[in-house]
Amino acid sequence: MSDPNNSDSEHTRDTSQLPFVAGCRVLEPDAPRRWLKLGISDFKRAPGKSLSYGFAALILCYSLAYAGLKISGFLVLLAILSGLTLIGPIMAIGLYSISCQLQNGLVPVLGYCFRDSTRGLGNLGLFSGVLIVLFLIWIHVGHLIHLFFPAGELTGDTKDLALFLGIGSAVGAVFAVVTFCISAFSLPMIMDRKTDLITAIVTSVNAVLRNRRAMLLWAALILAGILLSVVTGLLGLLVVFPVLGHATWHAYRDTIDASDWPQYQ
């Protein structure tokens, strides 16, 4: 049976590929809506296991938020919470495995998720290191911005507060765009195929650049999910995080043609 998520008949394949990256399909602009629907469907089919990852994300966020608030105050707390987008892809690897198991007609088993999370362990470790370094750099940048805009001085000056938020958002956006491009498809590919880190990252960046309209909508949907989580006191992460993780797997299967790289057995 053919895989509807990986069929060239539904998408126009971009044949002008770089020689050292996996091929990508040219997506219709509203493809991310389909990924989101598939992510919601996977969440409904494996709610308990999906929620376990959402709960883990929630606990991590609360722990980092508490540490940031105690150590540096509210303004750096904002930097920490926004910087969590840099390490979210690492935490979602188990969710890719759940979606993969469902796609193959299996009942998801957490043990398989842990097994799949160790595939290509060296590459995953290196990539995790890259994202963590980006996260730490962003936190350091947040501290530097905080030095120029002390919390005590901002409380009574709306103009300075707006400037602080504007600068912080602009810098954070740069980190978010870089992270989005290199991680949009690379981690699912590393988990799914025997490939190296550089190939996976370049494949991800190539696919994002070749499908700008679709990926812009996908980034907007991810941002909407993050904002929903924030306005619910992060409780929304219980559902938002696993749904986006499942949807990311379907985005990878829909976009990347990695058939030239062997699968794990």
PDB file of all heavy atoms in Angstrom, residues 39-68:
ATOM      1  N   GLY A  39      -1.850  15.802  13.032  1.00  0.00           N
ATOM      2  CA  GLY A  39      -1.298  15.842  14.378  1.00  0.00           C
ATOM      3  C   GLY A  39      -2.373  15.691  15.434  1.00  0.00           C
ATOM      4  O   GLY A  39      -2.190  14.970  16.430  1.00  0.00           O
ATOM      5  N   ILE A  40      -3.485  16.365  15.234  1.00  0.00           N
ATOM      6  CA  ILE A  40      -4.619  16.244  16.163  1.00  0.00           C
ATOM      7  C   ILE A  40      -5.159  14.815  16.153  1.00  0.00           C
ATOM      8  O   ILE A  40      -5.502  14.247  17.204  1.00  0.00           O
ATOM      9  CB  ILE A  40      -5.724  17.248  15.790  1.00  0.00           C
ATOM     10  CG1 ILE A  40      -5.230  18.683  16.017  1.00  0.00           C
ATOM     11  CG2 ILE A  40      -6.992  16.992  16.602  1.00  0.00           C
ATOM     12  CD1 ILE A  40      -6.176  19.748  15.500  1.00  0.00           C
ATOM     13  N   SER A  41      -5.221  14.216  14.957  1.00  0.00           N
ATOM     14  CA  SER A  41      -5.705  12.837  14.847  1.00  0.00           C
ATOM     15  C   SER A  41      -4.792  11.874  15.605  1.00  0.00           C
ATOM     16  O   SER A  41      -5.271  10.988  16.328  1.00  0.00           O
ATOM     17  CB  SER A  41      -5.771  12.428  13.368  1.00  0.00           C
ATOM     18  OG  SER A  41      -6.127  11.065  13.232  1.00  0.00           O
ATOM     19  N   ASP A  42      -3.473  12.046  15.478  1.00  0.00           N
ATOM     20  CA  ASP A  42      -2.534  11.182  16.204  1.00  0.00           C
ATOM     21  C   ASP A  42      -2.678  11.367  17.712  1.00  0.00           C
ATOM     22  O   ASP A  42      -2.589  10.397  18.475  1.00  0.00           O
ATOM     23  CB  ASP A  42      -1.098  11.502  15.782  1.00  0.00           C
ATOM     24  CG  ASP A  42      -0.760  10.936  14.408  1.00  0.00           C
ATOM     25  OD1 ASP A  42      -1.616  10.247  13.820  1.00  0.00           O
ATOM     26  OD2 ASP A  42       0.351  11.213  13.917  1.00  0.00           O
ATOM     27  N   PHE A  43      -2.892  12.607  18.130  1.00  0.00           N
ATOM     28  CA  PHE A  43      -3.084  12.875  19.560  1.00  0.00           C
ATOM     29  C   PHE A  43      -4.316  12.132  20.082  1.00  0.00           C
ATOM     30  O   PHE A  43      -4.281  11.537  21.177  1.00  0.00           O
ATOM     31  CB  PHE A  43      -3.244  14.374  19.788  1.00  0.00           C
ATOM     32  CG  PHE A  43      -3.480  14.759  21.221  1.00  0.00           C
ATOM     33  CD1 PHE A  43      -2.411  14.961  22.086  1.00  0.00           C
ATOM     34  CD2 PHE A  43      -4.764  14.907  21.723  1.00  0.00           C
ATOM     35  CE1 PHE A  43      -2.622  15.301  23.410  1.00  0.00           C
ATOM     36  CE2 PHE A  43      -4.986  15.251  23.045  1.00  0.00           C
ATOM     37  CZ  PHE A  43      -3.911  15.455  23.890  1.00  0.00           C
ATOM     38  N   LYS A  44      -5.389  12.130  19.313  1.00  0.00           N
ATOM     39  CA  LYS A  44      -6.613  11.454  19.727  1.00  0.00           C
ATOM     40  C   LYS A  44      -6.440   9.934  19.736  1.00  0.00           C
ATOM     41  O   LYS A  44      -7.066   9.241  20.547  1.00  0.00           O
ATOM     42  CB  LYS A  44      -7.764  11.837  18.791  1.00  0.00           C
ATOM     43  CG  LYS A  44      -8.214  13.283  18.916  1.00  0.00           C
ATOM     44  CD  LYS A  44      -9.344  13.588  17.940  1.00  0.00           C
ATOM     45  CE  LYS A  44      -9.850  15.019  18.086  1.00  0.00           C
ATOM     46  NZ  LYS A  44     -10.927  15.318  17.107  1.00  0.00           N
ATOM     47  N   ARG A  45      -5.598   9.430  18.858  1.00  0.00           N
ATOM     48  CA  ARG A  45      -5.391   7.988  18.770  1.00  0.00           C
ATOM     49  C   ARG A  45      -4.451   7.467  19.855  1.00  0.00           C
ATOM     50  O   ARG A  45      -4.490   6.281  20.187  1.00  0.00           O
ATOM     51  CB  ARG A  45      -4.838   7.626  17.382  1.00  0.00           C
ATOM     52  CG  ARG A  45      -5.819   7.876  16.254  1.00  0.00           C
ATOM     53  CD  ARG A  45      -5.140   7.748  14.901  1.00  0.00           C
ATOM     54  NE  ARG A  45      -4.691   6.371  14.640  1.00  0.00           N
ATOM     55  CZ  ARG A  45      -3.928   6.041  13.591  1.00  0.00           C
ATOM     56  NH1 ARG A  45      -3.508   6.980  12.746  1.00  0.00           N
ATOM     57  NH2 ARG A  45      -3.565   4.782  13.417  1.00  0.00           N
ATOM     58  N   ALA A  46      -3.601   8.337  20.380  1.00  0.00           N
ATOM     59  CA  ALA A  46      -2.686   7.926  21.462  1.00  0.00           C
ATOM     60  C   ALA A  46      -2.629   9.029  22.514  1.00  0.00           C
ATOM     61  O   ALA A  46      -1.571   9.619  22.749  1.00  0.00           O
ATOM     62  CB  ALA A  46      -1.303   7.640  20.887  1.00  0.00           C
ATOM     63  N   PRO A  47      -3.763   9.315  23.171  1.00  0.00           N
ATOM     64  CA  PRO A  47      -3.826  10.473  24.076  1.00  0.00           C
ATOM     65  C   PRO A  47      -2.933  10.350  25.302  1.00  0.00           C
ATOM     66  O   PRO A  47      -2.272  11.318  25.700  1.00  0.00           O
ATOM     67  CB  PRO A  47      -5.306  10.532  24.478  1.00  0.00           C
ATOM     68  CG  PRO A  47      -5.809   9.128  24.283  1.00  0.00           C
ATOM     69  CD  PRO A  47      -5.048   8.591  23.104  1.00  0.00           C
ATOM     70  N   GLY A  48      -2.893   9.165  25.901  1.00  0.00           N
ATOM     71  CA  GLY A  48      -2.109   9.010  27.125  1.00  0.00           C
ATOM     72  C   GLY A  48      -0.621   9.213  26.884  1.00  0.00           C
ATOM     73  O   GLY A  48       0.048   9.963  27.610  1.00  0.00           O
ATOM     74  N   LYS A  49      -0.104   8.566  25.868  1.00  0.00           N
ATOM     75  CA  LYS A  49       1.333   8.668  25.574  1.00  0.00           C
ATOM     76  C   LYS A  49       1.686  10.066  25.089  1.00  0.00           C
ATOM     77  O   LYS A  49       2.755  10.602  25.412  1.00  0.00           O
ATOM     78  CB  LYS A  49       1.717   7.613  24.538  1.00  0.00           C
ATOM     79  CG  LYS A  49       1.532   6.187  25.055  1.00  0.00           C
ATOM     80  CD  LYS A  49       1.816   5.162  23.987  1.00  0.00           C
ATOM     81  CE  LYS A  49       1.636   3.746  24.550  1.00  0.00           C
ATOM     82  NZ  LYS A  49       0.226   3.488  24.931  1.00  0.00           N
ATOM     83  N   SER A  50       0.787  10.668  24.334  1.00  0.00           N
ATOM     84  CA  SER A  50       1.034  12.037  23.863  1.00  0.00           C
ATOM     85  C   SER A  50       1.048  13.021  25.030  1.00  0.00           C
ATOM     86  O   SER A  50       1.911  13.901  25.112  1.00  0.00           O
ATOM     87  CB  SER A  50      -0.040  12.446  22.846  1.00  0.00           C
ATOM     88  OG  SER A  50      -0.013  11.620  21.699  1.00  0.00           O
ATOM     89  N   LEU A  51       0.106  12.854  25.938  1.00  0.00           N
ATOM     90  CA  LEU A  51       0.039  13.748  27.098  1.00  0.00           C
ATOM     91  C   LEU A  51       1.264  13.602  27.998  1.00  0.00           C
ATOM     92  O   LEU A  51       1.651  14.565  28.663  1.00  0.00           O
ATOM     93  CB  LEU A  51      -1.231  13.472  27.899  1.00  0.00           C
ATOM     94  CG  LEU A  51      -2.525  14.049  27.327  1.00  0.00           C
ATOM     95  CD1 LEU A  51      -3.736  13.527  28.094  1.00  0.00           C
ATOM     96  CD2 LEU A  51      -2.504  15.586  27.370  1.00  0.00           C
ATOM     97  N   SER A  52       1.864  12.416  28.009  1.00  0.00           N
ATOM     98  CA  SER A  52       3.055  12.241  28.844  1.00  0.00           C
ATOM     99  C   SER A  52       4.180  13.157  28.365  1.00  0.00           C
ATOM    100  O   SER A  52       4.924  13.714  29.175  1.00  0.00           O
ATOM    101  CB  SER A  52       3.512  10.778  28.819  1.00  0.00           C
ATOM    102  OG  SER A  52       3.985  10.404  27.539  1.00  0.00           O
ATOM    103  N   TYR A  53       4.288  13.352  27.057  1.00  0.00           N
ATOM    104  CA  TYR A  53       5.304  14.270  26.529  1.00  0.00           C
ATOM    105  C   TYR A  53       4.901  15.720  26.777  1.00  0.00           C
ATOM    106  O   TYR A  53       5.752  16.567  27.058  1.00  0.00           O
ATOM    107  CB  TYR A  53       5.509  14.020  25.036  1.00  0.00           C
ATOM    108  CG  TYR A  53       6.381  12.821  24.757  1.00  0.00           C
ATOM    109  CD1 TYR A  53       5.820  11.549  24.600  1.00  0.00           C
ATOM    110  CD2 TYR A  53       7.762  12.947  24.680  1.00  0.00           C
ATOM    111  CE1 TYR A  53       6.611  10.443  24.370  1.00  0.00           C
ATOM    112  CE2 TYR A  53       8.566  11.835  24.443  1.00  0.00           C
ATOM    113  CZ  TYR A  53       7.989  10.592  24.292  1.00  0.00           C
ATOM    114  OH  TYR A  53       8.782   9.493  24.068  1.00  0.00           O
ATOM    115  N   GLY A  54       3.601  15.998  26.684  1.00  0.00           N
ATOM    116  CA  GLY A  54       3.132  17.341  27.000  1.00  0.00           C
ATOM    117  C   GLY A  54       3.381  17.692  28.456  1.00  0.00           C
ATOM    118  O   GLY A  54       3.774  18.821  28.783  1.00  0.00           O
ATOM    119  N   PHE A  55       3.187  16.710  29.348  1.00  0.00           N
ATOM    120  CA  PHE A  55       3.425  16.938  30.770  1.00  0.00           C
ATOM    121  C   PHE A  55       4.913  17.176  31.033  1.00  0.00           C
ATOM    122  O   PHE A  55       5.283  18.042  31.834  1.00  0.00           O
ATOM    123  CB  PHE A  55       2.925  15.732  31.573  1.00  0.00           C
ATOM    124  CG  PHE A  55       3.058  15.895  33.060  1.00  0.00           C
ATOM    125  CD1 PHE A  55       2.196  16.725  33.757  1.00  0.00           C
ATOM    126  CD2 PHE A  55       4.032  15.207  33.759  1.00  0.00           C
ATOM    127  CE1 PHE A  55       2.315  16.883  35.130  1.00  0.00           C
ATOM    128  CE2 PHE A  55       4.161  15.351  35.129  1.00  0.00           C
ATOM    129  CZ  PHE A  55       3.291  16.189  35.817  1.00  0.00           C
ATOM    130  N   ALA A  56       5.765  16.403  30.374  1.00  0.00           N
ATOM    131  CA  ALA A  56       7.212  16.594  30.542  1.00  0.00           C
ATOM    132  C   ALA A  56       7.637  17.992  30.087  1.00  0.00           C
ATOM    133  O   ALA A  56       8.446  18.662  30.745  1.00  0.00           O
ATOM    134  CB  ALA A  56       7.979  15.531  29.754  1.00  0.00           C
ATOM    135  N   ALA A  57       7.061  18.449  28.967  1.00  0.00           N
ATOM    136  CA  ALA A  57       7.372  19.795  28.478  1.00  0.00           C
ATOM    137  C   ALA A  57       6.891  20.854  29.460  1.00  0.00           C
ATOM    138  O   ALA A  57       7.577  21.860  29.700  1.00  0.00           O
ATOM    139  CB  ALA A  57       6.741  20.016  27.105  1.00  0.00           C
ATOM    140  N   LEU A  58       5.711  20.629  30.038  1.00  0.00           N
ATOM    141  CA  LEU A  58       5.154  21.578  30.999  1.00  0.00           C
ATOM    142  C   LEU A  58       6.035  21.684  32.240  1.00  0.00           C
ATOM    143  O   LEU A  58       6.329  22.786  32.715  1.00  0.00           O
ATOM    144  CB  LEU A  58       3.742  21.145  31.391  1.00  0.00           C
ATOM    145  CG  LEU A  58       3.009  22.027  32.402  1.00  0.00           C
ATOM    146  CD1 LEU A  58       2.736  23.400  31.808  1.00  0.00           C
ATOM    147  CD2 LEU A  58       1.700  21.365  32.837  1.00  0.00           C
ATOM    148  N   ILE A  59       6.468  20.549  32.774  1.00  0.00           N
ATOM    149  CA  ILE A  59       7.318  20.544  33.965  1.00  0.00           C
ATOM    150  C   ILE A  59       8.639  21.248  33.682  1.00  0.00           C
ATOM    151  O   ILE A  59       9.139  22.039  34.505  1.00  0.00           O
ATOM    152  CB  ILE A  59       7.559  19.106  34.457  1.00  0.00           C
ATOM    153  CG1 ILE A  59       6.249  18.476  34.932  1.00  0.00           C
ATOM    154  CG2 ILE A  59       8.595  19.094  35.572  1.00  0.00           C
ATOM    155  CD1 ILE A  59       5.575  19.222  36.063  1.00  0.00           C
ATOM    156  N   LEU A  60       9.229  20.980  32.520  1.00  0.00           N
ATOM    157  CA  LEU A  60      10.493  21.632  32.170  1.00  0.00           C
ATOM    158  C   LEU A  60      10.315  23.143  32.076  1.00  0.00           C
ATOM    159  O   LEU A  60      11.143  23.910  32.588  1.00  0.00           O
ATOM    160  CB  LEU A  60      11.021  21.082  30.844  1.00  0.00           C
ATOM    161  CG  LEU A  60      12.295  21.745  30.319  1.00  0.00           C
ATOM    162  CD1 LEU A  60      13.454  21.534  31.301  1.00  0.00           C
ATOM    163  CD2 LEU A  60      12.654  21.201  28.940  1.00  0.00           C
ATOM    164  N   CYS A  61       9.237  23.573  31.447  1.00  0.00           N
ATOM    165  CA  CYS A  61       8.984  25.009  31.300  1.00  0.00           C
ATOM    166  C   CYS A  61       8.788  25.675  32.650  1.00  0.00           C
ATOM    167  O   CYS A  61       9.338  26.755  32.905  1.00  0.00           O
ATOM    168  CB  CYS A  61       7.766  25.249  30.419  1.00  0.00           C
ATOM    169  SG  CYS A  61       8.045  24.928  28.674  1.00  0.00           S
ATOM    170  N   TYR A  62       8.015  25.049  33.531  1.00  0.00           N
ATOM    171  CA  TYR A  62       7.791  25.612  34.859  1.00  0.00           C
ATOM    172  C   TYR A  62       9.090  25.663  35.655  1.00  0.00           C
ATOM    173  O   TYR A  62       9.354  26.634  36.383  1.00  0.00           O
ATOM    174  CB  TYR A  62       6.744  24.796  35.617  1.00  0.00           C
ATOM    175  CG  TYR A  62       5.316  25.161  35.316  1.00  0.00           C
ATOM    176  CD1 TYR A  62       4.309  24.199  35.288  1.00  0.00           C
ATOM    177  CD2 TYR A  62       4.961  26.488  35.058  1.00  0.00           C
ATOM    178  CE1 TYR A  62       2.991  24.540  35.018  1.00  0.00           C
ATOM    179  CE2 TYR A  62       3.643  26.827  34.785  1.00  0.00           C
ATOM    180  CZ  TYR A  62       2.668  25.856  34.766  1.00  0.00           C
ATOM    181  OH  TYR A  62       1.368  26.205  34.488  1.00  0.00           O
ATOM    182  N   SER A  63       9.917  24.635  35.519  1.00  0.00           N
ATOM    183  CA  SER A  63      11.185  24.599  36.252  1.00  0.00           C
ATOM    184  C   SER A  63      12.117  25.716  35.784  1.00  0.00           C
ATOM    185  O   SER A  63      12.711  26.437  36.598  1.00  0.00           O
ATOM    186  CB  SER A  63      11.863  23.240  36.062  1.00  0.00           C
ATOM    187  OG  SER A  63      11.044  22.198  36.564  1.00  0.00           O
ATOM    188  N   LEU A  64      12.235  25.875  34.462  1.00  0.00           N
ATOM    189  CA  LEU A  64      13.085  26.928  33.923  1.00  0.00           C
ATOM    190  C   LEU A  64      12.528  28.310  34.241  1.00  0.00           C
ATOM    191  O   LEU A  64      13.277  29.248  34.529  1.00  0.00           O
ATOM    192  CB  LEU A  64      13.243  26.759  32.416  1.00  0.00           C
ATOM    193  CG  LEU A  64      14.083  25.559  31.963  1.00  0.00           C
ATOM    194  CD1 LEU A  64      14.060  25.445  30.441  1.00  0.00           C
ATOM    195  CD2 LEU A  64      15.515  25.678  32.461  1.00  0.00           C
ATOM    196  N   ALA A  65      11.203  28.434  34.191  1.00  0.00           N
ATOM    197  CA  ALA A  65      10.575  29.719  34.502  1.00  0.00           C
ATOM    198  C   ALA A  65      10.830  30.104  35.959  1.00  0.00           C
ATOM    199  O   ALA A  65      11.147  31.262  36.262  1.00  0.00           O
ATOM    200  CB  ALA A  65       9.073  29.644  34.228  1.00  0.00           C
ATOM    201  N   TYR A  66      10.701  29.133  36.847  1.00  0.00           N
ATOM    202  CA  TYR A  66      10.941  29.400  38.275  1.00  0.00           C
ATOM    203  C   TYR A  66      12.398  29.805  38.497  1.00  0.00           C
ATOM    204  O   TYR A  66      12.678  30.777  39.217  1.00  0.00           O
ATOM    205  CB  TYR A  66      10.600  28.154  39.084  1.00  0.00           C
ATOM    206  CG  TYR A  66      10.874  28.313  40.569  1.00  0.00           C
ATOM    207  CD1 TYR A  66       9.979  28.991  41.388  1.00  0.00           C
ATOM    208  CD2 TYR A  66      12.029  27.783  41.140  1.00  0.00           C
ATOM    209  CE1 TYR A  66      10.229  29.138  42.744  1.00  0.00           C
ATOM    210  CE2 TYR A  66      12.287  27.926  42.484  1.00  0.00           C
ATOM    211  CZ  TYR A  66      11.376  28.602  43.290  1.00  0.00           C
ATOM    212  OH  TYR A  66      11.632  28.753  44.626  1.00  0.00           O
ATOM    213  N   ALA A  67      13.319  29.061  37.871  1.00  0.00           N
ATOM    214  CA  ALA A  67      14.741  29.375  38.023  1.00  0.00           C
ATOM    215  C   ALA A  67      15.050  30.760  37.470  1.00  0.00           C
ATOM    216  O   ALA A  67      15.770  31.550  38.094  1.00  0.00           O
ATOM    217  CB  ALA A  67      15.590  28.317  37.325  1.00  0.00           C
ATOM    218  N   GLY A  68      14.498  31.065  36.297  1.00  0.00           N
ATOM    219  CA  GLY A  68      14.755  32.376  35.701  1.00  0.00           C
ATOM    220  C   GLY A  68      14.203  33.508  36.534  1.00  0.00           C
ATOM    221  O   GLY A  68      14.837  34.559  36.691  1.00  0.00           O
TER     222      GLY A  68
END
